[in-house]
């Protein structure tokens, strides 16, 4: 498998309170990779490191085969970026902003830019400072898409947008990916949104990558089990026990990762019984994963 | 790319730049207005030269303002966006700085030419008495050099981080405070005077701003 983005033991320290450490990301080419994490977990910092906006303190970064930060311009020429906060020049009109942006990207697709302009209902003569939040979000995505990138890096692109605009933005994104077979790296704390569109997921918490796997494994592999009669101490398990909750007089609740149906036999072996296996949606799995990562000693996860 | 950057800088600086062009063109015309009546008097030539000398500081002041406005406007929009947009464009940082510098210099050419044309026009409409000469091209050249020095200075400060600007400002404030403290203890040390000499007296880097700025002289 080849990777559009790869980091090895990436480290970065910002002040005394935040540190990104030992980050090993692998974003497969052609994937829509959801980068999940609570606010302040290091998602935006990671993205800024990937794009050469920040210099790493340790480790190595490769984006589309280019070493970062040494070959940043070559990587950026093939990458569309939508930042967390609008970064365009507010004193330009929509038309001027598009012309300015197009000047830097040889692969600029003016026809598609025009099509997206009309699809998004953006007026060419309006100043960027007069655009609503939703219109700004659409323009940012339009600019990123019209440069025909092989990789799209989107930092909370739909944060604060209303559901209608969010749908328009995500539809345009998925259309692009379907047509061009591009890789998308999208960060968000809106778990449900990513669940619908992503095929890979990475979960960040407090500057650490606590999980990275195909979305299907994430959704299928994390279960809530109701268990009776299990001993307090467990030996080796065929799955990962993320959490055990005891409630006096009731069945225990286990949160497990890597679950498969035949594993119920394991419980027979330890004299226990599985009463119920409950699928967790991505948000529940995400929350359980984070709470487990936070209770685990540093270095695990 | 250069045209795109030039356009944005024109858009950001166009109002003060247009005012600067008008001021640069008009200043030589304004300063020569009283000259015909002064030349009509007995000691007209020396009065006229004194009058010119009193207006002289307006030229380096205008050059400084133009350099400052163009330099600050080159980076203001990027500072506001924490440079995220500029740095996410696919070109090396040094190239972006060069484009911005080149755009600023291109725009500065307009007021520089305006002052030169204004000076040529101003000196062509008055009759000079014997022994008095006009120096429109020399004044235009000196104005151009002073504007470029001001632009380069403010551009380098403005292109830097807030910390750089803070260090420069802190140094100036520190010098003022130190001079004030020395004055309190009746010290003869003149820090500001020494600094002025270092900067503004040849071979100081800002020597171009000092001395007499004369459109008409002997």
């Amino acid at each position: 498998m080849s990777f559009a983005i790869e980091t090895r033991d990436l480290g970065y320290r910002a002040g005394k309170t935040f540190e990104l450490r030992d980050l090993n990301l692998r974003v497969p080419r052609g994937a829509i990779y959801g980068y999940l994490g609570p606010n302040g977990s290091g998602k935006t910092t990671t993205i800024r490191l990937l794009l050469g906006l920040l210099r790493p303190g340790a480790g190595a970064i490769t984006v589309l085969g280019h070493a970062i930060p040494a070959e940043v311009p070559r990587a950026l020429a093939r990458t569309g970026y939508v930042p967390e906060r609008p970064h365009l020049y507010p004193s330009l009109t929509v038309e001027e902003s598009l012309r300015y942006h197009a000047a830097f990207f040889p692969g600029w697709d003016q026809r598609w830019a025009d099509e997206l302009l009309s699809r998004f209902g953006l007026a060419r003569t309006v100043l960027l400072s007069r655009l609503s939040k939703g219109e700004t979000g659409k323009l940012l995505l339009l600019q990123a898409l019209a440069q025909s990138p092989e990789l799209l890096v989107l930092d909370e692109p739909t944060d604060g947008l209303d559901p209608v605009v969010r749908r328009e933005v995500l539809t345009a994104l998925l259309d692009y990916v379907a047509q061009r077979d591009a890789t998308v790296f999208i960060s968000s704390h809106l778990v449900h949104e990513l669940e619908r569109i992503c095929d890979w997921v990475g979960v960040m918490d407090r500057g650490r990558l606590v999980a990275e796997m195909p979305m299907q494994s994430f959704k299928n592999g994390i279960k809530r089990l109701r268990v009776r009669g299990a001993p307090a101490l467990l030996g080796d398990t065929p799955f990962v026990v993320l959490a055990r909750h005891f409630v006096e007089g009731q069945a225990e609740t286990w949160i497990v990762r890597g679950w498969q149906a035949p594993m119920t036999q394991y419980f027979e072996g330890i004299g226990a019984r599985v009463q119920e296996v409950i699928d967790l949606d991505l948000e529940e799995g995400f929350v359980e994963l984070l709470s487990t990562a936070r209770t685990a000693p540093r270095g695990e996860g | 790319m250069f045209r795109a950057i030039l356009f944005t800088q024109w858009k950001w600086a166009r109002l003060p730049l247009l005012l600067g062009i008008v001021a640069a063109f008009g200043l030589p015309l304004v300063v020569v207005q009283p000259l015909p009546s002064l030349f009509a008097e007995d000691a007209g030539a020396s009065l006229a030269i004194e009058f010119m000398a009193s207006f002289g500081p307006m030229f380096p002041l205008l050059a400084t303002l133009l350099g400052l406005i163009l330099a600050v406007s080159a980076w203001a929009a990027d500072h506001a966006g924490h440079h995220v947009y500029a740095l996410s464009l696919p070109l090396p940082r040094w190239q972006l700085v060069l484009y911005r510098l080149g755009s600023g210099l291109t725009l500065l050419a307009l007021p520089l030419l305006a002052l030169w044309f204004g000076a040529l026009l101003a000196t062509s409409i008055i009759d000079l008495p014997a022994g008095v000469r006009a120096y429109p091209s020399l004044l235009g050249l000196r104005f151009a050099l002073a504007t470029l020095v001001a632009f380069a200075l403010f551009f380098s400060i403005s292109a830097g981080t807030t910390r750089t600007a803070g260090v420069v400002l802190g140094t100036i404030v520190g010098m003022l405070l130190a001079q004030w403290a020395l004055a309190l203890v009746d010290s003869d040390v003149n820090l500001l005077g020494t600094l002025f000499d270092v900067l503004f007296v040849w071979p100081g880097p800002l020597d171009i701003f000092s001395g007499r700025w004369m459109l008409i002289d002997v």
Side-chain angles (χ1 to χ4, degrees), chain A residues 48 52-53 73 76-77 81 87-89 91-93 96 100-101 103-105 143, chain B residues 1 4-5 7-8 11-12 77-78 84-93 100:
Chain A
R48 290 185 171 183
L53 302 179
L76 289 177
Y81 172 46
H87 63 328
L88 304 174
Y89 301 135
S91 58
L92 301 184
T93 64
E96 288 165 352
Y100 181 80
H101 198 73
F104 295 90
F105 294 94
Q143 291 201 171
Chain B
M1 279 186 250
I5 289 174
F7 173 78
T8 55
K11 179 136 190 182
W12 295 329
D78 284 321
V84 171
Y85 188 35
L87 295 180
S88 64
L89 294 171
L91 73 170
R93 294 178 186 188
R100 287 239 182 276

Side-chain angles (χ1 to χ4, degrees), chain B residues 87-108:
Chain B
L87 295 180
S88 64
L89 294 171
L91 73 170
R93 294 178 186 188
W94 61 265
Q95 202 174 334
L96 178 74
V97 173
L98 277 186
Y99 280 147
R100 287 239 182 276
L101 186 72
S103 303
L105 292 175
T106 307
L107 293 178
L108 272 180

Side-chain angles (χ1 to χ4, degrees), chain A residues 101-124:
Chain A
H101 198 73
F104 295 90
F105 294 94
W108 181 261
D109 187 341
Q110 187 58 46
R111 215 176 63 178
W112 208 43
D114 292 338
E115 189 188 316
L116 284 174
L117 262 183
S118 66
R119 197 206 288 191
F120 287 159
L122 293 170
R124 291 172 185 271

Side-chain angles (χ1 to χ4, degrees), chain B residues 140-153:
Chain B
L141 182 64
R142 191 171 177 196
F143 183 77
L145 289 173
T147 308
L148 295 182
V149 169
F151 176 69
L153 180 70

